Amino acid sequence: MEQLEQAGTPQATIVLRLAYAGGQYSGFAEQPQTGVRTVAGELRSALETFLRREVELTCAGRTDAGVHALSQYVSFSARDEELDIAARRWLRAMDALLPRSIAVQEVFHAPEGFSARFDALARTYVYRIADRPNRPVLTRDRVWWLRYPLDDAAMARAAACLVGEHDFKSFCKASSAEGKPTCRNVMSVGFERGCELGEDVLSFTITGNAFLHSMVRTIVGTLVEVGSHRRDESWVAEALAACDRAAAGPTAPADGLVFAGVAYPDGLLTPLSI
C-alpha cells in the first residue's frame, strides 16, 4: 500500500462547501472507535487518495449523527501545486471518491491560516416539520413528522425571546456543557410554511454566531411543546432563564435538521471558476 506523504509547509488554504445526507453517518467528526462511519472520515479518505498526502480538516460546525447539510464548509492547508487544480477536476475527483450521500458543491481558495470554524461570522440551521395526519413520503427522511397541526404563530412569539446574547445552557446536551462556556448570540429566528417536493412543511430557521451540542434540536423540541398547546408561550423564556437542561423540552429528532449556511467576511473566500 502506497504511503501517504506528510503535509508540507502550507502556503494557502483550500475550502470546500459540502452537502450531505447525514442519516447513515455518526455525525460529521471522526470518532476514536473503529468502524464508526462519519462524514469527515469519508471526506478525509477521499482527499488523501486524491492528493496522495495526509490531510487535516477543520469544519464550520460539527453536526450530530443523522443531521444533514447543504452548506458545511471544510478547510485544510494546501501546497503550492494544489492551488493550480481546477474546480472541474476537484468536483469530478470528489464525485468519484465520495459516497453518493456526500457531495462537494464548491471549491474556494483562502489565505494561509484561514479556519472554516474560527473565521465564521454566523451559522444558519433549518429544521423542517410535517405537522399533518397524512404521512410524508418524498420528504420523509428530512422532516420530523407530527400527526397533528402546530400553532406556528404561538411558536414564533415564544421563540422571540431567544434572539440576542444569552446563556443557552438549558438548550444543550447537559454533559457537553460541563465546565464550558454556554453563552451564544442568536441573530434571528423565524417560521415559514412552504411546499417541498409537493409536500407541505413547516420550517424553523435560526442564525447565530455558534451553537451548542443539540442546541437547535432542543429549541425545536421546546417550541413544539408550545405549538401543541402543552405549554404556554412564556415557558420558553422561563426555560432559557433557568440555565438547566431539565427546564426545557425534549430534543427533536435529527432527521429534520439541516446545516444550511455559513457567513464569512467578504473577500475572504475566492471561488474557483468551473
Side-chain angles (χ1 to χ4, degrees):
M1 182 176 177
E2 185 176 356
Q3 181 128 10
L4 294 172
E5 296 181 31
Q6 296 289 329
T9 302
Q11 300 299 319
T13 306
I14 290 173
V15 184
L16 307 178
R17 183 172 71 85
L18 202 66
Y20 49 86
Q24 57 190 286
Y25 300 103
S26 297
F28 179 87
E30 293 189 72
Q31 305 295 323
Q33 307 94 326
T34 58
V36 177
R37 199 176 185 202
T38 65
V39 176
E42 297 287 347
L43 178 61
R44 184 176 57 80
S45 177
L47 288 171
E48 290 184 345
T49 299
F50 178 50
L51 300 175
R52 298 180 180 275
R53 67 173 179 86
E54 294 180 348
V55 174
E56 184 175 343
L57 304 176
T58 300
C59 69
R62 300 172 67 175
T63 54
D64 294 338
V67 174
H68 316 293
L70 284 175
S71 289
Q72 167 74 274
Y73 284 76
V74 180
S75 60
F76 57 94
S77 296
R79 295 180 176 180
D80 284 343
E81 63 272 18
E82 294 165 359
L83 298 177
D84 295 326
I85 300 174
R88 187 182 301 274
R89 187 179 168 203
W90 274 108
L91 296 179
R92 286 180 175 177
M94 292 300 97
D95 184 55
L97 294 169
L98 287 169
R100 292 183 64 183
S101 51
I102 305 174
V104 172
Q105 303 293 300
E106 288 184 278
V107 185
F108 303 87
H109 288 167
E112 180 183 349
F114 171 88
S115 167
R117 177 185 177 190
F118 293 110
D119 285 303
L121 300 176
R123 298 157 176 85
T124 297
Y125 285 86
V126 177
Y127 195 99
R128 292 174 174 84
I129 301 170
D131 59 333
R132 58 180 189 271
N134 51 313
R135 182 175 63 185
V137 178
L138 297 182
T139 59
R140 182 66 184 92
D141 297 330
R142 304 291 181 271
V143 298
W144 180 12
W145 178 36
L146 300 172
R147 294 170 172 82
Y148 49 85
L150 294 172
D151 183 346
D152 51 293
M155 295 167 74
R157 290 190 296 269
C161 70
L162 302 173
V163 176
E165 182 100 20
H166 301 289
D167 187 337
F168 285 92
K169 189 174 183 179
S170 295
F171 297 97
C172 71
K173 189 174 181 180
S175 58
S176 69
E178 294 178 5
K180 298 178 182 178
T182 50
C183 287
R184 297 293 186 271
N185 181 19
V186 170
M187 301 164 185
S188 65
V189 294
F191 283 91
E192 183 179 12
R193 290 195 178 272
C195 184
E196 296 187 15
L197 298 174
E199 298 180 340
D200 294 332
V201 296
L202 172 62
S203 297
F204 171 68
T205 302
I206 182 169
T207 298
N209 66 332
F211 291 89
L212 302 167
H213 190 182
S214 299
M215 177 174 159
V216 178
R217 291 165 56 200
T218 307
I219 287 173
V220 171
T222 301
L223 293 174
V224 164
E225 293 292 296
V226 174
S228 60
H229 295 156
R230 288 192 288 264
R231 293 280 192 167
D232 294 333
E233 295 174 22
S234 60
W235 173 64
V236 177
E238 294 168 2
L240 177 65
C243 294
D244 181 355
R245 177 63 187 88
T251 303
D255 307 44
L257 186 58
V258 176
F259 189 9
V262 186
Y264 291 103
D266 291 342
L268 202 55
L269 299 181
T270 303
L272 274 65
S273 59
I274 298 297

